[in-house]
């Protein structure tokens, strides 16, 4: 009775051990099939021992399906068809997502340093706000430029007023000095010289207003020019800080610049080929 139980236990042990050793199937994406025992696997690699005793390491990206049973040819074909349908549905979903992402990317402005500059040329401070999306510094720039412009306008109005007053007074003095028959007995030359001296004294406010107006114009030009230079400086930094976008090609994201890829491809003979790829990509 004890021997019979030992035989049954031994038969079960052999059956389970055989199932564990030879009952696992690895199907690759290129439709190759390997049978044996899976030793270990992680998100990057899968290692197995085939029924022939060969140890093979697969790149997990090349594995289509791992089934923990011994499959026949019909079952393998069925699984491959099911996985291909799943992959097609996944690819279709990713294509739709990629199309949406591409549309959103097109809406986003491609960064160029002169884009903030022309904005600040139209409205001082606008370009600085365009690069930072903050109000404080752009607001101060706008107020400073507006203040300089207001001061220049005010001094220009004062100059025009002084010049108008001078024109009226000088015309009156000139006519009075020439029309006076004697002007106290002074000769004509003396009367003309006297009128010129009086006109010169009237012209002093015009000179003062003109100098003040010129200084105001210089201040306005300096403020306006400096804010453009500052915007250009920020625009350069803003352009360099633009996020590098990646183009999706054959399901793989390819960023701008140098790219290096390494992969492993198992062969039907149990060997592993290592592939290396280096490239430089630019987007346009």
């Amino acid at each position: 009775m004890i021997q019979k139980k030992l035989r049954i236990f031994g038969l079960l042990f052999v059956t389970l051990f055989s199932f564990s050793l030879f009952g696992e199937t690895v199907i690759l994406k290129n439709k190759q099939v390997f049978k044996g025992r899976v030793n270990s696997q992680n998100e990057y690699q899968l290692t197995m021992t085939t029924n022939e005793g060969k140890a093979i390491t697969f790149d997990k990206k090349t594995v289509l399906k791992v089934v923990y049973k011994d499959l026949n040819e019909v079952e393998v074909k069925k699984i491959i068809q099911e996985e291909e349908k799943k992959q097609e549905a996944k690819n279709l979903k990713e294509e739709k997502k990629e199309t949406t992402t591409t549309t959103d990317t097109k809406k986003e402005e491609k960064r160029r340093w002169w884009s903030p500059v022309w904005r600040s040329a139209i409205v001082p401070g606008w370009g600085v706000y365009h690069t930072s999306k903050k109000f404080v510094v752009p607001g101060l720039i706008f107020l400073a430029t507006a203040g300089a412009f207001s001061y220049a306008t005010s001094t220009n109005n004062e100059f025009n007023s002084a010049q108008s007053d001078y024109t009226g007074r000088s015309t009156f003095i000139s006519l009075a000095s020439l029309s006076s028959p004697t002007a106290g007995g002074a000769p004509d030359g003396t009367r003309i010289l006297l009128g010129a001296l009086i006109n010169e004294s009237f012209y002093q406010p015009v000179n003062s207003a003109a100098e003040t107006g010129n200084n105001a114009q210089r201040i306005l030009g300096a403020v306006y020019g400096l804010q453009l230079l500052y915007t250009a400086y920020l625009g350069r930094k803003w352009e360099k800080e633009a996020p590098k976008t990646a183009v999706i090609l054959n399901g793989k994201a390819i960023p701008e610049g140098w790219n290096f890829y390494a992969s492993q491809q198992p062969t039907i003979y149990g060997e592993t080929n290592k592939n290396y790829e280096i490239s430089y990509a630019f987007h346009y």
Side-chain angles (χ1 to χ4, degrees):
M1 186 67 177
I2 295 176
Q3 291 181 349
K4 185 177 181 181
K5 289 182 178 180
L6 289 174
R7 288 176 183 175
I8 294 173
F9 177 78
L11 181 60
L12 290 173
F13 176 80
V14 171
T15 302
L16 292 173
F17 178 78
S18 299
F19 179 77
S20 174
L21 182 60
F22 304 109
E24 297 169 354
T25 305
V26 176
I27 306 173
L28 302 184
K29 292 180 180 179
N30 60 8
K31 300 182 181 181
Q32 288 182 282
V33 180
F34 295 85
K35 296 183 179 182
R37 177 170 57 88
V38 175
N39 300 323
S40 64
Q41 62 176 317
N42 54 39
E43 58 180 321
Y44 303 107
Q45 292 182 333
L46 182 147
T47 302
M48 74 174 300
T49 301
T50 65
N51 292 345
E52 293 77 18
K54 295 180 179 180
I56 306 177
T57 299
F58 301 97
D59 187 337
K60 206 63 178 294
K61 294 179 181 179
T62 66
V63 177
L64 178 67
K65 187 79 172 180
V66 179
V67 182
Y68 292 90
K69 63 179 291 189
D70 191 0
L71 302 177
N72 57 39
E73 186 176 350
V74 176
E75 291 174 322
V76 169
K77 287 183 178 179
K78 184 178 179 181
I79 288 178
I80 291 176
Q81 291 175 355
E82 291 176 352
E83 292 299 322
E84 285 179 346
K85 289 180 180 179
K86 291 180 182 179
Q87 188 62 39
E88 287 178 1
K90 183 179 178 181
N91 291 341
L92 183 61
K93 185 178 180 180
E94 288 179 352
E95 286 178 1
K96 291 181 179 179
K97 183 178 179 180
E98 181 183 345
T99 302
T100 304
T101 304
T102 302
T103 303
D104 293 340
T105 303
K106 288 181 179 179
K107 292 180 180 179
E108 183 180 352
E109 178 192 9
K110 192 171 185 179
R111 292 188 178 184
R112 291 290 182 264
W113 69 270
W114 41 260
S115 180
V117 174
W118 71 257
R119 285 176 167 82
S120 285
I122 298 174
V123 179
W126 182 16
V128 178
Y129 171 77
H130 186 68
T131 62
S132 63
K133 302 302 181 184
K134 296 179 181 179
F135 289 97
V136 177
V137 176
L140 292 175
I141 291 175
F142 179 80
L143 290 177
T145 309
F149 178 78
S150 177
Y151 178 59
T153 302
S154 176
T155 56
N156 184 68
N157 291 336
E158 291 177 0
F159 169 75
N160 291 333
S161 178
Q163 191 173 37
S164 178
D165 290 344
Y166 167 74
T167 301
R169 290 179 181 181
S170 64
T171 301
F172 174 77
I173 293 299
S174 298
L175 292 174
S177 62
L178 292 176
S179 62
S180 176
T182 58
D188 292 342
T190 303
R191 285 182 291 164
I192 294 174
L193 179 60
L194 181 61
L197 291 174
I198 295 174
N199 284 339
E200 180 65 22
S201 66
F202 287 164
Y203 194 73
Q204 290 301 322
V206 179
N207 282 332
S208 178
E211 184 64 24
T212 303
N214 289 335
N215 291 334
Q217 295 290 339
R218 295 187 187 100
I219 293 173
L220 175 59
V223 172
Y224 183 79
L226 287 174
Q227 68 94 19
L228 283 181
L229 290 175
Y230 180 66
T231 304
Y233 166 74
L234 292 181
R236 289 288 188 184
K237 292 180 60 178
W238 177 69
E239 182 181 71
K240 292 179 180 179
E241 292 170 357
K244 292 185 176 180
T245 56
V247 172
I248 306 299
L249 183 63
N250 296 328
K252 181 170 64 177
I254 304 177
E256 286 186 293
W258 290 101
N259 299 281
F260 177 78
Y261 303 97
S263 61
Q264 300 183 63
Q265 180 66 45
T267 66
I268 59 175
Y269 304 104
E271 299 176 351
T272 303
N273 292 332
K274 294 183 178 180
N275 300 319
Y276 302 97
E277 177 185 346
I278 185 170
S279 62
Y280 182 84
F282 64 94
H283 302 166
Y284 57 91

